[in-house]
Amino acid sequence: MSLLKGMFKSRDKPQNRVGSSFSFLFGGTTAGKTVNERTAMQTTAVYACVRILAEAVAGLPLHVYRYRSDGGKERIPFHPLYHLLHDEPNPEMTSFVFRETLMSHLLLWGNAYAQVVRNGRGQAIALYPLLPSKMDVSRASNGELVYKYYRDVEESSNNPKGGYVTLRKDEVLHIPGLGFDGLIGYSPIAMAKNAIGISLATEEYGAAFFANGANPGGVLEHPGVIKDIQRVKDSWNSAYQGSGNAHKVAVLEEGMKFQAIGIPPEQAQFLETRKFQINEIARIFRVPPHMIGDLEKSSFSNIEQQSLEFVKYTLDPWVVRWEQALQQSLLLPSEKSSLFIKFNVDGLLRGDYQSRMTGYATGIQNGYYSVNDVRSLEDLNMLSDEDGGNLHFVNGNMVKLADVGAAYQKNTGGGDV
């Protein structure tokens, strides 16, 4: 413990910033729009990316395994953690909803937290999500991480005024994203707030443009002096402003003229900007554009390869981050050498039907697949031993290179080859 005191100072408090003078926080952007986790989700591209990644992680099979003495592994469905992770982490949520919620927190705030409820033996018996916006991570005097969670009045039955609740490190499941100190992740939304702000601004501009009947604003010119300017302005707006008054014929009196002054959307490259921002946001989350509805650069020949790359380069890092955080926080110290927690992504890596059957046939012919191995991968019922379901076969026409000469002599009865 004295070593911890010597290593960690008060300045080593985990924080989501580079230094005291430069902080990556939600807020205003150069596009004039306020970006935070809630306004960002109003952008269709952000919503689609978060939903795809959250549902992908939530839908993967999640199991607890034990290392076997022969080097293999086996699933242990009767372990207490198996029910929490695979079925329901608490009485109010399914495993899918729990993981989907935490993954959305991780994508928006850069951190995901859950309270770990343990029994007298230290085993986790329930997991409850905690909002990252209410969590503050600091260090105790001994160097240990301390989590302080703010509870609102509605959440604090014992304290009518609300307040902070202090949680020890073993009482919190913390999954951090990419961060500066390895302890606290920073939000992708905050880091890319200008790109998202442009998307929000273009959406608002488009909505206002079409609300005005798809016509830009303009100026009414009068050759003389108008005594009541506001009356003329209100009269014009009530008669011709808005999508409901589109295509009406305007009647101008006393030599007045209408001069449009707005920039037409084609000159402002409105559609091109919106399309670019979709790719920009997809780049933030490393999601292939075709998965959020942009099929411009996708085809039948490359879309399957893009989907496989999504699993390998986008989903796999998140899966490893989840697995290691679950093992670190939920497994007991005595279990960490013999147990591990793993997502199964094999189903997402499967090719088309013909490719799978060709691969299975090769595996059976070369002895590393049995019929039941293949049926298990295809989620089919197992065959009995009497039917040869667990037998392994090897192609008998293949021999070792060193035995080729001996086999030739035996078959021909000859001497030297």
Side-chain angles (χ1 to χ4, degrees):
M1 193 64 68
S2 60
L3 178 60
L4 289 174
K5 288 183 180 180
M7 291 174 59
F8 299 112
K9 311 291 185 182
S10 59
R11 61 178 174 83
D12 294 318
K13 176 184 181 299
Q15 53 191 3
N16 185 7
R17 60 186 184 183
V18 179
S20 59
S21 61
F22 188 63
S23 177
F24 292 101
L25 301 174
F26 295 119
T29 65
T30 53
K33 307 304 296 182
T34 299
V35 174
N36 54 45
E37 73 286 342
R38 302 189 190 279
T39 59
M41 286 290 280
Q42 296 174 7
T43 303
T44 56
V46 174
Y47 183 89
C49 289
V50 171
R51 181 178 178 182
I52 285 170
L53 288 170
E55 290 179 346
V57 171
L60 291 174
L62 179 59
H63 304 295
V64 180
Y65 293 91
R66 175 188 290 117
Y67 294 108
R68 294 194 316 206
S69 57
D70 60 358
K73 64 180 180 180
E74 62 179 347
R75 194 183 304 173
I76 45 175
F78 300 108
H79 192 279
L81 274 181
Y82 193 98
H83 174 72
L84 289 184
L85 300 177
H86 185 268
D87 300 317
E88 55 180 51
N90 61 69
E92 300 174 348
M93 296 180 181
T94 63
S95 176
F96 184 96
V97 173
F98 173 80
R99 284 184 275 156
E100 182 184 46
T101 302
L102 258 64
M103 188 62 189
S104 64
H105 291 175
L106 188 53
L107 294 167
L108 293 173
W109 279 281
N111 295 276
Y113 303 95
Q115 183 180 3
V116 182
V117 181
R118 301 182 183 272
N119 60 18
R121 291 177 291 182
Q123 297 173 322
I125 58 174
L127 299 170
Y128 290 91
L130 300 173
L131 281 174
S133 58
K134 297 182 179 182
M135 183 68 76
D136 179 68
V137 185
S138 59
R139 289 196 184 276
S141 57
N142 60 0
E144 292 287 343
L145 290 176
V146 175
Y147 295 84
K148 294 183 178 180
Y149 186 72
Y150 182 79
R151 300 182 66 183
D152 297 330
V153 176
E154 292 80 5
E155 299 175 303
S156 302
S157 57
N158 297 327
N159 186 0
K161 296 183 179 181
Y164 282 94
V165 177
T166 301
L167 300 171
R168 300 187 309 273
K169 187 177 185 301
D170 64 314
E171 295 178 306
V172 176
L173 166 63
H174 180 198
I175 308 173
L178 178 66
F180 295 113
D181 56 9
L183 299 173
I184 303 295
Y186 48 71
S187 167
I189 302 299
M191 296 293 291
K193 62 183 180 181
N194 281 323
I196 298 172
I198 293 175
S199 182
L200 288 171
T202 54
E203 282 190 8
E204 183 177 310
Y205 172 80
F209 178 75
F210 286 105
N212 197 36
N215 287 312
V219 174
L220 284 173
E221 296 182 356
H222 193 281
V225 177
I226 301 177
K227 295 181 180 180
D228 193 345
I229 296 177
Q230 189 63 39
R231 182 187 64 80
V232 176
K233 179 180 178 182
D234 293 342
S235 176
W236 176 271
N237 288 338
S238 63
Y240 305 112
Q241 189 179 50
S243 58
N245 295 322
H247 310 299
K248 284 188 175 181
V249 178
V251 178
L252 301 176
E253 300 178 289
E254 301 178 2
M256 284 197 303
K257 296 180 181 180
F258 177 79
Q259 180 67 38
I261 61 172
I263 300 177
E266 61 272 17
Q267 294 183 17
Q269 295 184 324
F270 172 69
L271 295 179
E272 289 79 0
T273 300
R274 292 211 63 190
K275 186 180 296 184
F276 177 78
Q277 289 311 117
I278 291 176
N279 287 301
E280 189 81 346
I281 292 172
R283 187 180 299 117
I284 297 170
F285 294 99
R286 205 189 298 167
V287 172
H290 78 270
M291 298 189 73
I292 59 174
D294 184 3
L295 300 175
E296 183 178 4
K297 297 183 180 180
S298 298
S299 64
F300 289 108
S301 60
N302 67 6
I303 200 166
E304 182 180 353
Q305 183 61 34
Q306 290 184 51
S307 298
L308 294 176
E309 289 179 356
F310 167 74
V311 176
K312 183 176 181 180
Y313 298 113
T314 302
L315 200 57
D316 263 0
W318 290 114
V319 166
V320 173
R321 197 181 297 272
W322 268 81
E323 289 173 346
Q324 295 186 355
L326 292 173
Q327 292 173 186
Q328 183 184 48
S329 299
L330 301 183
L331 291 179
L332 298 176
S334 59
E335 297 175 328
K336 291 184 177 181
S337 60
S338 58
L339 304 182
F340 65 96
I341 300 168
K342 188 171 181 60
F343 287 91
N344 185 358
V345 299
D346 293 342
L348 298 178
L349 294 171
R350 298 194 306 175
D352 59 86
Y353 182 81
Q354 182 178 358
S355 300
R356 296 202 313 273
M357 294 304 109
T358 302
Y360 293 152
T362 303
I364 291 176
Q365 292 173 9
N366 289 279
Y368 56 85
Y369 273 164
S370 68
V371 174
N372 277 345
D373 290 335
V374 173
R375 295 180 68 87
S376 175
L377 292 172
E378 291 295 314
D379 199 22
L380 299 173
N381 292 331
M382 300 295 102
L383 298 180
S384 64
D385 291 337
E386 290 78 9
D387 296 328
N390 294 314
L391 295 178
H392 290 261
F393 303 93
V394 177
N395 193 329
N397 294 326
M398 300 177 65
V399 297
K400 293 186 295 184
L401 183 62
D403 296 337
V404 171
Y408 177 82
Q409 293 179 13
K410 179 179 179 180
N411 292 332
T412 61
D416 296 336
V417 179

